Amino acid sequence: GFRGSVINVSLGTQNTRTLEMAIESAYNYGIPMAAAAGNDNVDVKKSKYPAPCMYSDYLVCVGASDINYEKAWFSKYGSLVTMIAPGKDISAAGSGGDSDRVKKSGTSMAS
């Protein structure tokens, strides 16, 4: 089965029936799902691209925090955001080779 599986998505799209069905299917199979909230500093409910956090009953919607554990200035917010996690100036792999590191920010880094 899907034992030990987790789905993590970072999408900038409008809600579609296909997306809704995929999220509900993962939920019905017992697969935990996290989604990046987005980076345009607005309430998720008022965003032009709220998906997939509009389905917050089925997944964890993750906003970004800064080094002081406060909401990062860019992170979406609101009642659909389940939690925040570090998402500002996160060390990530770069494209310049095995030892290349870069600093990235965004709710994708948090989720």
Side-chain angles (χ1 to χ4, degrees), residues 39-60:
N39 302 315
D40 49 352
N41 192 30
V42 297
D43 189 312
V44 172
K45 289 181 181 178
K46 297 177 182 174
S47 177
K48 181 177 179 182
Y49 299 107
C53 289
M54 293 300 291
Y55 305 104
S56 60
D57 290 344
Y58 299 106
L59 53 78
V60 175

Side-chain angles (χ1 to χ4, degrees), residues 41-82:
N41 192 30
V42 297
D43 189 312
V44 172
K45 289 181 181 178
K46 297 177 182 174
S47 177
K48 181 177 179 182
Y49 299 107
C53 289
M54 293 300 291
Y55 305 104
S56 60
D57 290 344
Y58 299 106
L59 53 78
V60 175
C61 182
V62 184
S65 66
D66 61 20
I67 196 167
N68 298 311
Y69 303 105
E70 300 291 331
K71 183 188 87 62
W73 66 268
F74 52 81
S75 181
K76 284 185 183 173
Y77 55 86
S79 62
L80 296 181
V81 176
T82 312

Side-chain angles (χ1 to χ4, degrees), residues 6-111:
V6 176
I7 297 172
N8 180 28
V9 296
S10 179
L11 306 170
T13 184
Q14 293 180 334
N15 296 329
T16 66
R17 180 64 185 138
T18 302
L19 177 61
E20 182 180 350
M21 288 170 42
I23 292 168
E24 289 176 5
S25 180
Y27 177 82
N28 290 334
Y29 276 100
I31 303 172
M33 188 171 194
N39 302 315
D40 49 352
N41 192 30
V42 297
D43 189 312
V44 172
K45 289 181 181 178
K46 297 177 182 174
S47 177
K48 181 177 179 182
Y49 299 107
C53 289
M54 293 300 291
Y55 305 104
S56 60
D57 290 344
Y58 299 106
L59 53 78
V60 175
C61 182
V62 184
S65 66
D66 61 20
I67 196 167
N68 298 311
Y69 303 105
E70 300 291 331
K71 183 188 87 62
W73 66 268
F74 52 81
S75 181
K76 284 185 183 173
Y77 55 86
S79 62
L80 296 181
V81 176
T82 312
M83 63 178 288
I84 61 173
K88 186 169 184 320
D89 297 326
I90 303 300
S91 182
S95 60
D98 291 344
S99 62
D100 186 26
R101 296 285 181 257
V102 295
K103 295 257 181 172
K104 298 273 189 173
S105 295
T107 57
S108 296
M109 300 304 290
S111 67

